[in-house]
Amino acid sequence: MASNAIPPRESTKQREESVRSEMKDQIFISFSFKALAKAEYLKKKIEESLGSGTCWICTEGVEPGQEIRDEIAEAMDHAKVVICCISKGYTDSIECNREVTLACQWKKTLIPVLVDNLQWPLRKADNKTTGMAYIFGDMLYQKIIENSADCEVELDRLTNTLRKKLDRAATDPVDANPDAQPLKTKSDSEKGLLQFISFQNKTPLPTMVIIITKIIELCTRPIPTIRDKIDGTKLPLDTVKFCE
């Protein structure tokens, strides 16, 4: 027998909890640990406006013994927007460079926020150019320095921008960026390669790019057969060595 009873209305508290659940960790904050206090200040101010739990920062929610890079990758995949909390040591940080590169690869919305008085385009501590200057290009940035005269005004601008981007992302099943792709399950070989990359902290990024490109090139070449070798087919020397 069908019931004509009217279903109970969702309470205001339930609606707020639902919104908080949908908004949870939608903003990834990338920062150098030397500027932890500034990143936490930014997170606090954003969440005062957009709701608690909106931002993900790697100092929270990571248990002892967990692989921090795995947690960072998962959080980056889940987030819709990546805020780059740019301090004096940001461009020299290997981890920050990796986070910015990953955000670009996954086509996340990047928002550069200067939390120190820095020149733009960005430069390293030794005044040399940095790859981040290329990545950020002609992006508009914001300068939010705690206790500065225009700090509150800039915070309002930032939260309004974030609200618009997250609202747009909520209507898109994939991401705010139509070209973005969800994180795919990694194969064992991909995990192995990522682990290899993760531990090369002392290897310059351009060198790592060359190494990875070479690995991919070798792995995708057709494997020569024994008959190829017997017939005297000329093969690239590095291919023969790789296959033997």
Side-chain angles (χ1 to χ4, degrees):
M1 181 177 176
S3 172
N4 293 324
I6 299 174
R9 292 184 62 185
E10 186 179 38
S11 68
T12 302
K13 183 178 179 181
Q14 286 175 322
R15 287 198 300 274
E16 289 176 351
E17 288 176 350
S18 175
V19 170
R20 280 199 296 270
S21 177
E22 292 175 1
M23 295 285 285
K24 182 172 173 58
D25 298 339
Q26 293 291 288
I27 301 167
F28 181 104
I29 296 182
S30 170
F31 68 99
S32 165
F33 271 93
K34 293 179 181 178
L36 174 59
K38 296 173 182 178
E40 289 180 333
Y41 171 78
L42 197 61
K43 175 181 182 293
K44 175 186 173 185
K45 289 299 183 180
I46 291 171
E47 291 189 342
E48 283 177 1
S49 216
L50 301 183
S52 177
T54 309
C55 300
W56 188 93
I57 192 169
C58 70
T59 55
E60 299 178 1
V62 180
E63 300 296 331
Q66 283 183 298
E67 176 52 60
I68 185 65
R69 290 191 180 96
D70 288 346
E71 296 299 318
I72 288 173
E74 291 296 332
M76 179 82 71
D77 176 51
H78 177 73
K80 303 300 182 188
V81 178
V82 175
I83 292 180
C84 299
C85 188
I86 302 173
S87 59
K88 291 178 181 177
Y90 191 84
T91 57
D92 294 308
S93 166
I94 293 173
E95 294 302 325
C96 292
N97 274 276
R98 285 176 176 160
E99 288 171 1
V100 171
T101 301
L102 186 61
C104 290
Q105 289 174 342
W106 287 349
K107 295 181 171 60
K108 299 296 180 179
T109 298
L110 282 172
I111 300 179
V113 177
L114 302 185
V115 295
D116 282 328
N117 284 311
L118 300 171
Q119 61 179 329
W120 192 271
L122 295 172
R123 289 183 175 272
K124 294 183 178 180
D126 57 6
N127 205 37
K128 291 182 179 179
T129 55
T130 171
M132 284 192 189
Y134 173 78
I135 290 173
F136 291 129
D138 295 328
M139 284 186 192
L140 294 176
Y141 66 89
Q142 285 193 252
K143 182 180 287 188
I144 300 178
I145 298 177
E146 188 175 359
N147 298 325
S148 64
D150 56 354
C151 180
E152 292 300 323
V153 174
E154 291 300 317
L155 280 168
D156 285 343
R157 283 184 57 208
L158 177 61
T159 53
N160 287 335
T161 299
L162 289 169
R163 188 176 289 107
K164 291 175 183 177
K165 291 184 179 297
L166 294 178
D167 286 345
R168 187 163 66 247
T171 62
D172 192 314
V174 177
D175 207 330
N177 188 323
D179 297 324
Q181 296 296 324
L183 178 63
K184 298 178 181 178
T185 304
K186 301 183 186 71
S187 66
D188 290 340
S189 60
E190 288 174 320
K191 289 180 180 177
L193 183 58
L194 287 173
Q195 288 174 359
F196 167 73
I197 296 169
S198 298
F199 289 103
Q200 306 307 306
N201 288 337
K202 296 182 180 180
T203 305
L205 187 58
T207 305
M208 284 303 303
V209 171
I210 294 171
I211 292 172
I212 295 167
T213 303
K214 191 65 176 176
I215 291 172
I216 294 171
E217 180 185 345
L218 291 174
C219 290
T220 54
R221 286 181 183 175
I223 299 175
T225 64
I226 297 297
R227 182 171 298 279
D228 290 330
K229 296 181 181 180
I230 293 173
D231 291 344
T233 302
K234 291 184 178 181
L235 298 167
L237 183 59
D238 54 351
T239 305
V240 175
K241 286 182 178 179
F242 178 74
C243 297
E244 288 179 341

